[in-house]
Amino acid sequence: MLEIKALNVAYGRVQVLFDVSISVPEGELVTVIGANGAGKTTLLLTVSGVLRPQSGEISFEGEGIDSLRPHEIVGRGLGHVPQGKELFPAMTVLENLEMGAHMVKEEDEYRRRLERAFEFFPRLSERARQRAGTLSGGEQQMLAIARALMAEPRLLLLDEPSAGLAPIIVDHLAEIILDLNRHGLTVLLVEQNAFLALEIARRAYVMESGRVVESGDTRDVLESDLVRRAYLGI
Amino acid sequence: MSWDVIGQQLWNGLLNGSIYVIFAAGLSLVFGVMRVINMAHGELTMLGAMLLFTVTDLVGLAYFPGAALVVLVMALAGFLVNRVTVRPFLGHSELVVILSTVALSFVLLNGSLVVWGSGPKGVEKPFNEIVQVGGVYITTAGLLLVGVCFAAVMGLYLMLTHTKLGKKTRATGQNLLGARLIGINTTAIYDTTLIVASGLAALAGVLIVLVSSATPNLGQPLLITGFAVVIVAGMGNVAGAVAVGLFMGVTEALFGQFVSTYYRQGYLYVVMIIVLLLRPQGLFGRK
């Protein structure tokens, strides 16, 4: 569904990604793990069209998207929950969700999507009239995911959803991500928290200093010396 | 002191304050949505006034169709302001955008001096009866000015809070990356923001001529006052700019009457400095 081939990305003269190739088949939950600064966020921002690659190809459902602008890429069915959530803090939870579905014209369709979002995240319906900026960290993360889902993407990019959250909330989030995947959503999950990522993903890529250094079935990646040493501490 | 004098100054303050409100609302909108300080906002108002003089006095249009035409043309010019002086410089230091709009301001000001000369130009008003209310003299043209200002600001408020375009505009102002990642075309939002702001600036210009005359030099002092209003209200807070614009207009008039005409504009800046010392984020701003 998403094919990234030999991607090179630079900020000015500093190159951040080197020949990164990643494949996300339809219906799967693929993870990219790596330390801070490995280039994971850069990778996702390039897929979304916020950053422009120096070279390489990105195709989504068989069509090249590397020259499209972010709103066109979202329009193709690709959602992105960024690191740091990037909510609209002075707007209510409801308004944030409404913005997520801004391309929906029919009121009935909007209602249906809203109900679905509240089914996945009942907590958000309790907080509907509250300003997004006043939510707890876990609730903000849920709102960020729910906002992206309002566009009904077929592929969701998730950037460090566990960052800064209590372990119990991370577990809850992991369940939600798995549940979304079971409902047919393809997911590319970027994580520093290797435990979480490797627990729920089928395929994994390991990034280091802008390069993919390991990839394969999650079980194989778990077994590799590199990952055991660097991320799991065993 | 007599009540008539106070009443007269309240009315004069309301006239000035209404202009401050509509001027500062546009300035604040651009900053709130784009984080851009538009140093050419005053010149857009000036152009509104000068163009109205041209289309009424030289071309012969009546006030209302002339004003509508000028506001429409200036709104469309807002698109060019964005594409030529703002958008190419976004992503660089904020100082670069400030300088490019300063450059635009100089070009417009000096160009206008060449075209129209520096003398004041009067514009034929649609009606101009003087009504006496109590001991206060009120002009019907002034009433029109106040009414249109409030209708315009109300319209802006309703657009921002109740339309999808307005909500997308606020969302873009609150989080640009967040807006882009949910598929809002933020380039179009920036275009629209400067179109609306430029239209509001020109509207201030065509209203100013109802109570005074058009001159190429009217933009600069207005920009200075506009900044005082926007900073006291809290940068980017449009609703706050409305309240502070009115307050500044009225208290400035009273200050001019009872304290010193000479230090009238200084008064606004003293208020600004006091507010900044006590509440650096402005009266209605958030940290």
Side-chain angles (χ1 to χ4, degrees):
Chain A
M1 180 175 242
L2 180 72
E3 295 291 336
I4 302 167
K5 279 189 201 134
L7 197 65
N8 286 286
V9 179
Y11 289 111
R13 264 178 246 163
V14 185
Q15 190 161 355
V16 190
L17 294 185
F18 302 86
D19 283 322
V20 171
S21 295
I22 280 172
S23 165
V24 184
E26 183 160 5
E28 289 214 20
L29 202 169
V30 175
T31 187
V32 176
I33 59 172
N36 218 347
K40 307 183 301 294
T41 296
T42 303
L43 173 68
L44 294 195
L45 288 174
T46 311
V47 172
S48 290
V50 173
L51 299 174
R52 291 268 170 244
Q54 311 286 101
S55 65
E57 281 170 36
I58 306 169
S59 71
F60 178 59
E61 296 180 325
E63 285 176 57
I65 56 168
D66 33 82
S67 60
L68 297 183
R69 298 198 288 158
H71 69 272
E72 296 167 323
I73 293 175
V74 173
R76 296 276 178 108
L78 196 147
H80 186 159
V81 182
Q83 188 181 30
K85 302 152 206 124
E86 313 292 348
L87 297 170
F88 308 124
M91 290 181 145
T92 64
V93 167
L94 198 62
E95 283 177 312
N96 269 271
L97 294 174
E98 190 188 336
M99 285 294 97
H102 67 88
M103 65 294 284
V104 178
K105 300 262 189 302
E106 307 80 22
E107 183 69 16
D108 289 352
E109 175 64 13
Y110 166 67
R111 294 271 153 223
R112 190 185 64 73
R113 294 188 185 193
L114 194 62
E115 268 166 41
R116 187 166 160 271
F118 285 154
E119 263 168 47
F120 270 106
F121 305 98
R123 191 61 189 250
L124 294 181
S125 77
E126 293 164 29
R127 301 259 185 253
R129 307 266 160 213
Q130 204 170 314
R131 279 170 187 240
T134 65
L135 298 177
S136 72
E139 289 165 345
Q140 289 196 6
Q141 188 62 59
M142 288 176 196
L143 179 56
I145 297 175
R147 185 182 65 176
L149 291 177
M150 289 297 283
E152 300 218 322
R154 293 183 295 284
L155 169 67
L156 190 65
L157 311 178
L158 277 169
D159 197 348
E160 301 258 2
S162 76
L165 300 183
I168 186 163
I169 298 170
V170 173
D171 286 346
H172 179 51
L173 257 173
E175 267 169 47
I176 290 171
I177 295 167
L178 271 176
D179 202 26
L180 287 167
N181 181 237
R182 263 186 240 114
H183 279 78
L185 181 69
T186 312
V187 177
L188 176 57
L189 169 69
V190 153
E191 264 295 344
Q192 215 175 321
N193 181 344
F195 278 114
L196 165 79
L198 295 175
E199 207 172 285
I200 64 176
R202 282 258 308 277
R203 285 180 60 78
Y205 291 81
V206 182
M207 281 184 71
E208 225 176 69
S209 315
R211 291 182 169 83
V212 173
V213 291
E214 186 86 56
S215 68
D217 216 71
T218 314
R219 249 165 301 154
D220 301 336
V221 170
L222 262 173
E223 293 299 312
S224 84
D225 283 350
L226 179 92
V227 172
R228 291 169 71 92
R229 251 186 302 114
Y231 300 102
L232 305 176
I234 36 181
Chain B
M1 99 187 57
S2 87
W3 290 107
D4 290 352
V5 174
I6 295 179
Q8 192 64 49
Q9 288 307 337
L10 284 177
W11 169 248
N12 293 344
L14 180 64
L15 290 177
N16 278 333
S18 300
I19 293 293
Y20 297 165
V21 163
I22 190 173
F23 185 86
L27 199 59
S28 195
L29 178 72
V30 171
F31 183 80
V33 176
M34 308 170 65
R35 299 292 176 277
V36 164
I37 295 173
N38 181 11
M39 301 294 288
H41 200 72
E43 261 51 70
L44 299 176
T45 292
M46 177 273 287
L47 272 187
M50 298 314 295
L51 287 174
L52 181 66
F53 164 72
T54 299
V55 298
T56 54
D57 211 74
L58 302 180
V59 181
L61 283 183
Y63 178 85
F64 286 111
L69 178 69
V70 166
V71 170
L72 188 71
V73 168
M74 286 302 295
L76 295 178
F79 176 81
L80 288 179
V81 173
N82 185 32
R83 292 303 175 114
V84 177
T85 58
V86 177
R87 197 170 127 85
F89 306 107
L90 290 174
H92 297 85
S93 145
E94 285 168 11
L95 198 60
V96 179
V97 187
I98 291 180
L99 286 176
S100 76
T101 57
V102 167
L104 175 66
S105 153
F106 280 133
V107 169
L108 295 178
L109 172 56
N110 291 310
S112 298
L113 285 170
V114 170
V115 173
W116 287 292
S118 60
K121 307 278 191 286
V123 170
E124 182 99 23
K125 295 157 185 73
F127 40 74
N128 202 22
E129 287 88 52
I130 294 172
V131 189
Q132 199 178 352
V133 182
V136 181
Y137 293 94
I138 287 172
T139 60
T140 47
L143 279 175
L144 175 68
L145 179 154
V146 174
V148 172
C149 275
F150 279 84
V153 166
M154 207 55 188
L156 177 67
Y157 174 78
L158 290 176
M159 191 208 98
L160 286 174
T161 51
H162 284 75
T163 68
K164 195 167 259 184
L165 175 66
K167 288 180 186 182
K168 279 155 76 173
T169 303
R170 279 161 57 220
T172 303
Q174 287 175 32
N175 196 321
L176 179 62
L177 179 60
R180 297 179 78 189
L181 290 180
I182 59 166
I184 291 175
N185 182 351
T186 53
T187 305
I189 295 289
Y190 278 18
D191 285 337
T192 322
T193 300
L194 265 170
I195 285 171
V196 170
S198 180
L200 281 174
L203 184 60
V206 302
L207 291 172
I208 283 173
V209 299
L210 289 173
V211 292
S212 76
S213 47
T215 137
N217 294 310
L218 71 80
Q220 296 288 322
L222 203 52
L223 184 73
I224 303 286
T225 307
F227 275 133
V229 170
V230 168
I231 289 169
V232 167
M235 298 288 282
N237 188 317
V238 178
V242 172
V244 173
L246 263 189
F247 174 82
M248 291 293 217
V250 170
T251 55
E252 180 197 31
L254 293 174
F255 182 93
Q257 173 73 34
F258 297 112
V259 185
S260 156
T261 321
Y262 198 66
Y263 285 109
R264 223 173 112 138
Q265 201 159 39
Y267 158 79
L268 293 182
Y269 272 73
V270 170
V271 172
M272 185 184 85
I273 289 167
I274 292 170
V275 168
L276 282 180
L277 285 173
L278 299 176
R279 233 181 114 78
Q281 71 271 35
L283 292 178
F284 304 96
R286 267 185 289 271
K287 276 184 196 169

